[in-house]
Amino acid sequence: LMDLIIELRCGGDTGGGREAATRLLVVFLKERVLHRLVHPFLPSIIGALPLKGVAPRLASAALEALGELAQVSRTSLTPWVHQLIPHILETMQDQSSASKQRTSLRTLGHIAGGTGYVI
């Protein structure tokens, strides 16, 4: 998990390293037995997710990871909701990528369901 966080923070945009790390994070978050390992790293994971100013594929992967993180962390994500929601809503309105729109809508649903946040 720490290697994934480091790759997300420090990995270059060339070669797809950040996208691969983000996709691996999604796989990690889907494994129930690993959920207990996520909570201590929650602030680091949220800070490392490449949500802004990146290629559409990387942004979609990061949004998917955020949705999975919301399902795992549930109410522990609440302190970051006000920071994350405006970005998710902005991504939903982005007409350049239908994939990003679908992923952001799904992520918004996961955050709302996990934290109880109402828009």
Side-chain angles (χ1 to χ4, degrees), residues 17-62:
R18 290 175 76 192
E19 183 180 345
T22 305
R23 300 238 181 250
L24 282 172
L25 180 62
V26 171
V27 171
F28 186 94
L29 292 169
K30 286 183 178 183
E31 291 298 321
R32 261 201 203 295
V33 296
L34 301 174
H35 287 184
R36 63 183 172 82
L37 300 175
V38 173
H39 294 286
F41 294 99
L42 189 59
S44 297
I45 294 171
I46 292 170
L49 284 174
L51 295 170
K52 298 179 185 176
V54 294
R57 285 176 49 122
L58 180 54
S60 290

Side-chain angles (χ1 to χ4, degrees), residues 5-115:
I5 294 170
I6 290 169
E7 181 66 31
L8 288 172
R9 285 185 185 261
C10 303
D13 288 335
T14 58
R18 290 175 76 192
E19 183 180 345
T22 305
R23 300 238 181 250
L24 282 172
L25 180 62
V26 171
V27 171
F28 186 94
L29 292 169
K30 286 183 178 183
E31 291 298 321
R32 261 201 203 295
V33 296
L34 301 174
H35 287 184
R36 63 183 172 82
L37 300 175
V38 173
H39 294 286
F41 294 99
L42 189 59
S44 297
I45 294 171
I46 292 170
L49 284 174
L51 295 170
K52 298 179 185 176
V54 294
R57 285 176 49 122
L58 180 54
S60 290
L63 286 166
E64 184 180 358
L66 183 59
E68 291 298 325
L69 189 62
Q71 288 186 315
V72 171
S73 60
R74 314 271 315 157
T75 57
S76 299
L77 191 67
T78 303
W80 293 277
V81 168
H82 293 292
Q83 169 190 342
L84 297 170
I85 293 295
H87 175 71
I88 294 169
L89 293 176
E90 180 182 318
T91 306
M92 285 175 63
Q93 295 172 356
D94 183 3
Q95 300 294 320
S96 67
S97 172
S99 173
K100 271 180 25 178
Q101 287 179 321
R102 282 190 303 272
T103 306
S104 61
L105 179 61
R106 197 172 23 242
T107 299
L108 183 63
H110 290 316
I111 289 175
T115 63

